[in-house]
Amino acid sequence: MIEFDEQQQRMVLKLVYYGPALSGKTTNLLTLHDQLTLDGRGDLMMLDTTEDRTIYFDLLPFFYVAPSGMKIKLKVYTVPGQVRHDATRKAVLQRADGVVFVADSHAAQMSVNFESFDNLEKNLALVGLSFEQLPLVVQFNKRDLPDIVAENEIRSAWGPTGLPVIMASALKGWGVVETFREVLRLTFDAVNSRHGLTERYGVEREFFLAEILKVQQ
Amino acid sequence: MNSDNPQVTFIVGEERCLSRIISRAEIEPLLRSLVKAGPVRAAVLDEERLPLCSQGDDRPLEQLREIRHPLLVEGEPQGMLVIAVDPETCSSAEALALLARDALQLTITNNLKRMLTTEMHTTIVQESYDQLVETNQQLVESERRYRELATLLERKVEERTAELKKAYSRMLQQEKLAAVGGLAAGMAHEINNPNGFVRSNLVTLNRYVERMKEMLNLYQLLIARNAPLLQLREETEQRRRALKLEFVVSDSTALLEQSVEGTDRIARIVADLKAFSHVDETGDCDADLNGELERIIAVLTPQIPPETAILRDLQPLPLFGCNPGMLSQAFFNIIQNAIQSRDNGLKINISTARENNDIVITVADNGCGIPELNLTRVFEPFFTTREVGRGTGMGLTVAREIIRNAEGNIEIDSREGFGTTVTIRLPHKQITTDRTTHE
């Protein structure tokens, strides 16, 4: 959590889209930006890139104000996937409240996915976050492409982890909002159990989700 | 040192207020231009609704119209652009306000991006620096360990070298003992032989002495009795013959001469052996190499196969400064090899000569020779073609070491089935400068 000011009734949460290079993390954010209504969110801010590759991060902010006046700001980040930007990944991961791991479905990318996942596990430990307790959703992206690993294979490989696994094509625009909904739900539950969002501040999960996930007309 | 450096820690996502993103100096020119274009006043309020910057006059608001546009930070309204216009004079107020808002908004977003980029960059640089410092410390540490290891290794090498030196001198000692031991069997025979006949001569002489005593007693008895001369002559003559004293006396002389010769032989053998082993000597002195060679041949005599021809061509040599015990061991090993190279019809040529400032010793035999394949290996420690128990494989190794220590060199030329020639070349040196005073 970035910030929680009880007097000001203001909470700032952080979600991070993690994953190997070119798995489509920025595309996820662009799709959310396009599909979700402008009402209740800011613009997508993309920091410097080289040859269209993220080198720092992208940021998409969301806002929710509960009937009680409690304000929740949600900052959604991507990390650079390239191995050499590990320091940046670590910095972005600090104080994250939830993580989406965007994996590349291409058959040749499986080992890269595992490497990146290992890297996530290692970096979470380095920034003092618990891998077991942190809300984490796995998205297998690029399902629209040929030469991808079959869904049942993915499910049997990742099933034992107990993590929610969602199939998506960020480019085609499907699976993205579902992924976001899942990580939001888990994150809300986690924060709620720690800070009593519903009980103490009257923030209802379904309203919160519905408000943030309002699709553009 | 680096721990004193204040470390700046940025949290990605930390909330920022408008007043920290944009400064009065950045806003002022815009507001000034805006006021020139028509509006009476223009102001930017920060997150606390306090004016960050304002331009224009403070005409009362009643006559004016106010246009307000929120300024967003990460999509969240944090500040406000407030423009007051006189509706009479300014018709394009709305458009101007939007233009100003967009310009401000762009500056805010760009500033924010720059700040985030800078912070991220600083964080990465900081981390890289920390990593460098850490890597450097590890390197220093590992360098220290390697240096320690190197020192340790040096000490170990020194220790091992000392051990090796000790082992080497032990090996020389053992080689010497082995040689002397090997000689002992032959020597025992050489000594036993004269010893045997000396003893048997002594036994015979003892019997002769008894007879002489008997003869003397008879003389004494007859004289004491005052026996007449005739009787004395007759009785003594009779006893003399009975005791065969004629023969006894002449044989005694022969036995004594033989015995003296026998003990001389023993003395010579012991002297040779003693001289060969150099038990009394330590360290270097001037040695007569021809004498050493002669002694070696003498002590090896029992091992020489019958009907062997040993030809010596020993040119006069100057005294040679060396460790004679060591050097004689080397010669011994080489000559012994020659002796063992053939069972009958063996011919050995041993020659010494001076060549320029070198002393050259050659030992040539017409023995079995060394196969070409083995020629490069004969100096290797423990290399032997003899059956187990017959050779240590150290003979030539030791010989070469000794000769190298004397700054000389050894060469072997051999043809299988034809014989072997060993040439030793020693650079001449002498310990005492004047030979005559030494003698």
Side-chain angles (χ1 to χ4, degrees), chain A residues 52-93:
Chain A
D52 240 9
R53 313 279 299 270
T54 306
I55 55 170
Y56 291 113
F57 55 76
D58 310 312
L59 165 62
L60 184 59
F62 292 87
F63 314 98
Y64 174 73
V65 184
S68 64
M70 178 72 183
K71 290 187 280 291
I72 299 177
K73 182 172 178 184
L74 195 64
K75 294 188 171 187
V76 184
Y77 288 88
T78 62
V79 295
Q82 289 161 278
V83 175
R84 66 181 124 150
H85 292 311
D86 201 42
T88 311
R89 274 196 294 281
K90 236 180 292 173
V92 175
L93 209 51

Side-chain angles (χ1 to χ4, degrees), chain A residues 25-39:
Chain A
K25 300 174 288 296
T26 302
T27 314
N28 258 276
L29 255 55
L30 282 167
T31 305
L32 285 177
H33 180 262
D34 289 348
Q35 293 193 356
L36 300 182
T37 173
L38 186 65
D39 185 25

Side-chain angles (χ1 to χ4, degrees), chain A residues 2-3 10 14 45-46 56-57 59 61 63 73 75 77 88 90 92, chain B residues 10-15 74-76 112-113 116-117 120-121 124 127:
Chain A
I2 295 168
E3 193 182 301
R10 179 180 163 81
K14 186 195 258 190
M45 177 160 39
M46 290 166 79
Y56 291 113
F57 55 76
L59 165 62
F63 314 98
K73 182 172 178 184
K75 294 188 171 187
Y77 288 88
T88 311
K90 236 180 292 173
V92 175
Chain B
F10 300 110
I11 300 297
V12 175
E14 212 168 18
E15 292 290 281
E74 289 179 355
E76 203 179 7
L112 186 60
K113 273 192 190 181
L116 291 174
T117 308
M120 184 59 87
H121 185 74
I124 295 165
E127 189 178 314

Side-chain angles (χ1 to χ4, degrees), chain B residues 214-227:
Chain B
E214 199 182 327
M215 194 67 220
L216 278 175
N217 284 344
L218 183 65
Y219 276 121
Q220 251 166 352
L221 190 75
L222 290 172
I223 289 166
R225 269 206 231 133
N226 251 338

Side-chain angles (χ1 to χ4, degrees), chain B residues 1 26 43 50 73 79 154 159 189 197 219 221 241 245 288 293 302 308 312 317 330 343 353 358 370 421:
Chain B
M1 192 175 78
E26 283 171 298
L50 299 172
V73 173
E154 231 164 75
E159 274 171 27
H189 177 72
F197 69 73
Y219 276 121
L221 190 75
R241 251 181 269 135
L245 273 188
D288 167 18
L293 288 167
T308 297
R312 299 170 177 79
L317 295 178
D343 283 337
D358 290 347
I370 302 162
T421 302

Side-chain angles (χ1 to χ4, degrees), chain B residues 36 46-47 52 82 95 119 134 172 188 221 239 250 276 287 296 304 306 345 371 396 404 416:
Chain B
K36 271 186 193 154
D46 68 9
E47 60 281 357
L52 202 58
V82 184
E119 286 172 7
E134 198 185 324
L172 284 181
L221 190 75
R239 187 66 61 88
S250 76
F276 164 70
I296 289 159
I304 297 173
L396 286 175
R404 279 185 177 172
E416 194 176 2

